[in-house]
Amino acid sequence: MKLIHLTDLHLVPPGATLFGFDPAERLRKTIERINRDHTDAELCVVTGDLTDEGDFASYELLRDVLRDLRVPTRLLLGNHDSRENFVRAFPGEPRDENGFVQSVHESSAGRLIFLDTLVDGFGHGSLSDNRLEWLLARLAEKPDVPAYLLAHHPLQPIGLPHFEPWNTENWRPVIRSIVAAGNVRHIFHGHVHVDVGGTWSGIPFSASRGVAHQIIPNFSRRDADFVEDAPAFDVALIDDDGVLVHRFEVSDRHVVEISAAGPRPEAAQ
Ligand SMILES: [Fe+2]
């Protein structure tokens, strides 16, 4: 199963700019690349910060831009979003029984479980107000089926002081309860605007630097330098044996040589 993971679009209203650039233009270029190379993907998930300020005009713009994407898409919320305006603009996006933008997609490789970590008006994330209970119930109802979590905020640290205050609150007990469920194979998240991946408490995770602005990783400073690098997105190949995450940068590359094909797989063994 091929899964596209986009994150942190930070769209602003038509005609406005963010740090001097146009986030919608960066998204359009990213969509062009996905349409060129990845229309065989089963799903494209955007893990939040769809807009920069949560205004309705930016969600309308997002709706317009996404019309060109030729892969089914699921949208999640980040701390820069407004749940109210998102639901107005995308009334068909599935929500849980408490109104949070949480849902399950039964994919060909297992269950994709989408989480809503937004706390209105704050930068940190949360699974309070029955969101964690909803997740644990989803994990428990099919304990033998592999589950893949997708959320805006990380559920583990990333080693950068800047993001310590902006993680999911109570992430330690949260990740412990997820580990105890026993069927989560990978966590895909956004929020951090850096390329990062690894394993925490035995569960692999990955995040790309995203489509809009990026942050230069710094392991000692609490403030952060925002930069405009090329937009990036991840392509995950998932099957029973594991998860492979490839990172793509939306930039023009110059092919310097075409290498000869290698030996056939059976001959190489
Ligand atoms: Fe963001």
Side-chain angles (χ1 to χ4, degrees), residues 133-144:
E133 289 75 7
W134 178 91
L135 166 62
L136 297 179
R138 299 293 77 72
L139 295 175
E141 68 195 2
K142 293 191 179 179
D144 299 327

Side-chain angles (χ1 to χ4, degrees), residues 23 127 141 166 183 214 239:
L127 286 175
E141 68 195 2
W166 313 122
N183 52 349
Q214 286 74 37
D239 69 16

Side-chain angles (χ1 to χ4, degrees), residues 8 49 79 123-124 152-154 156-168 171 190-194 215-218 221-224 226:
D8 293 84
D49 282 1
N79 52 293
H124 68 277
H152 180 68
H153 291 84
Q156 81 294 314
I158 62 159
L160 300 179
H162 176 70
F163 279 100
E164 285 170 12
W166 313 122
N167 210 333
T168 301
W171 61 265
H191 187 53
V192 294
H193 293 245
V194 299
I215 285 176
I216 300 175
N218 187 295
R221 284 169 51 190
R222 299 196 75 82
D223 55 1
F226 287 21

Side-chain angles (χ1 to χ4, degrees), residues 25 36 47 70 133-134 147 172 201 217:
E25 190 52 32
R36 191 189 76 180
T47 53
R70 302 212 306 269
E133 289 75 7
W134 178 91
R172 284 184 177 82
S201 298

Side-chain angles (χ1 to χ4, degrees), residues 117-132:
T117 54
L118 166 62
V119 184
D120 272 320
F122 291 91
H124 68 277
S126 178
L127 286 175
S128 64
D129 301 314
N130 290 320
R131 284 175 278 189
L132 179 60

